[in-house]
Amino acid sequence: MKLIVCEEPETQEPIVIYIKVENNNWHQYFLDAGLGFWQNWDEIDDDDDYNYIDRTNELEIFEKTISRIWCEPQQNNSQIIIQFENNEKLILRTVQPKIFDSKSELILIK
């Protein structure tokens, strides 16, 4: 598995997350207007205005197996959760869920 984070250069806010599971296409997911979005892509859509950071090793997800993916409400926004077989969760959520369309953060809960 590989995970690339498209970040805002000045704030390091994750804008779009790209994930690739072995022998599959890239998937991109993101939060916008309080909603979660998930799309299948053949390749990463590279934009020079953002930084593309490989977070696979930092988040230690290289050899993990995904057991479940879902999007759920989080106060005035949404969050996208990837749960691994070991019950760790990779969560894309808003920093301030009460504020509609707040900035995002990507966290790993062990």
Side-chain angles (χ1 to χ4, degrees), residues 8 13-14 17-18 21 39 50 62 68-69 88 95 98 101 105 108:
E8 174 65 45
E13 176 190 5
I17 312 299
Y18 295 92
V21 180
Q39 302 168 330
Y50 298 100
F62 180 73
R68 185 173 170 217
I69 301 171
E88 290 180 357
V95 176
K98 289 183 179 180
D101 213 17
E105 66 180 351
L108 180 66

Side-chain angles (χ1 to χ4, degrees), residues 1 19 21 64-70 81-90:
M1 180 180 323
I19 191 165
V21 180
K64 292 185 179 164
T65 301
I66 296 172
S67 63
R68 185 173 170 217
I69 301 171
W70 72 97
I81 303 165
I82 298 175
Q83 183 172 331
F84 300 102
E85 282 186 342
N86 64 358
N87 288 324
E88 290 180 357
K89 294 178 182 173
L90 183 64

Side-chain angles (χ1 to χ4, degrees), residues 2-4 6 15-20 25-31 36-46 52 69 80 82 92:
K2 188 163 185 148
L3 185 111
I4 307 291
C6 170
I15 305 299
V16 178
I17 312 299
Y18 295 92
I19 191 165
K20 183 175 179 70
N25 289 340
W26 284 98
H27 294 266
Q28 76 171 23
Y29 64 100
F30 57 94
L31 301 173
F37 294 87
W38 188 281
Q39 302 168 330
N40 187 1
W41 288 88
D42 291 331
E43 58 187 55
I44 293 177
D45 186 22
D46 199 353
Y52 291 78
I69 301 171
I80 297 173
I82 298 175
L92 179 63

Side-chain angles (χ1 to χ4, degrees), residues 56-108:
T56 308
N57 291 332
E58 176 186 326
L59 295 170
E60 301 174 347
I61 64 166
F62 180 73
E63 294 189 14
K64 292 185 179 164
T65 301
I66 296 172
S67 63
R68 185 173 170 217
I69 301 171
W70 72 97
C71 182
E72 65 185 19
Q74 184 198 29
Q75 296 181 7
N76 293 328
N77 290 285
S78 296
Q79 60 182 1
I80 297 173
I81 303 165
I82 298 175
Q83 183 172 331
F84 300 102
E85 282 186 342
N86 64 358
N87 288 324
E88 290 180 357
K89 294 178 182 173
L90 183 64
I91 303 173
L92 179 63
R93 66 182 186 188
T94 54
V95 176
Q96 298 179 14
K98 289 183 179 180
I99 299 174
F100 177 73
D101 213 17
S102 168
K103 291 185 182 218
S104 299
E105 66 180 351
L106 183 66
I107 62 164
L108 180 66

